[in-house]
Amino acid sequence: MLTGIKTLLERNAYLIAIALTLFITITSLVSLKGIKTVSIGIDNFDKIVHFISYFALTLSWFFALQTLVKKRKNKVIIVLSIIAYGIIIEALQGGMTTHRQADIYDILANSIGVLLATILFPRLNQWFDSI
C-alpha cells in the first residue's frame, strides 16, 4: 500500500506543491469571517499553524524539485524563495487586507518551519526512497 501512495505522490509532486502554495496564499489573504473555525485555546496557536504550513510547503517543493535540491546552491535558492514568499504574504496582509495584519512573529514561525524542513529533508527523503 505504501508503494502505491509513494507512486501517487511522485507523479503529482509538482501539483501538490503548487496546490499547497495556492492554498496558503488564498487562506492568508481572503477573509475567513463567514467560515466557522475551531478555537483550540492554545496561546499563539496561529504561529504553530504558520510553522506547520511552511514546513509542509518547503518539503513539498523539495520533493517536487528533487533533482535540483541535490545541489546546495539550488537548495539555498529554494529556501530563500519560500522565506521571501512568506514575507511577501505578510506584507500583502498588512497592506492589502482590512481583516489581517502583518506580524513579524508569523514571518519568524514561517522561517523556522522552512529551516527545519531543510534540515530534515535528507532523512525524510532517504526514508521515502526506502519504501
Side-chain angles (χ1 to χ4, degrees):
M1 177 159 157
L2 282 178
T3 55
I5 294 171
K6 177 183 177 182
T7 303
L8 184 64
L9 290 172
E10 287 173 338
R11 288 183 185 163
N12 296 296
Y14 283 107
L15 183 61
I16 292 167
I18 291 168
L20 189 52
T21 303
L22 289 173
F23 177 78
I24 290 171
T25 302
I26 291 167
T27 57
S28 295
L29 299 176
V30 172
S31 174
L32 303 175
K33 189 173 184 176
I35 299 172
K36 189 174 185 175
T37 59
V38 177
S39 177
I40 303 295
I42 299 173
D43 289 340
N44 296 312
F45 182 72
D46 68 311
K47 305 307 179 247
I48 296 169
V49 171
H50 277 267
F51 167 82
I52 292 170
S53 298
Y54 280 78
F55 180 85
L57 181 66
T58 303
L59 288 180
S60 71
W61 279 109
F62 280 171
F63 278 110
L65 301 170
Q66 266 191 54
T67 54
L68 295 176
V69 171
K70 292 177 183 176
K71 291 185 178 180
R72 181 177 164 89
K73 176 184 165 187
N74 293 336
K75 186 182 270 190
V76 170
I77 291 169
I78 294 166
V79 166
L80 293 177
S81 296
I82 296 172
I83 290 173
Y85 163 78
I87 293 169
I88 291 167
I89 291 292
E90 285 300 314
L92 290 173
Q93 284 180 341
M96 291 183 60
T97 66
T98 57
H99 55 280
R100 301 281 176 113
Q101 59 187 17
D103 185 354
I104 190 73
Y105 294 111
D106 287 349
I107 294 171
L108 183 61
N110 298 346
S111 299
I112 291 170
V114 171
L115 295 175
L116 186 61
T118 303
I119 291 167
L120 294 179
F121 177 72
R123 287 193 182 247
L124 292 172
N125 194 35
Q126 188 177 38
W127 171 78
F128 190 75
D129 285 343
S130 71
I131 295 175

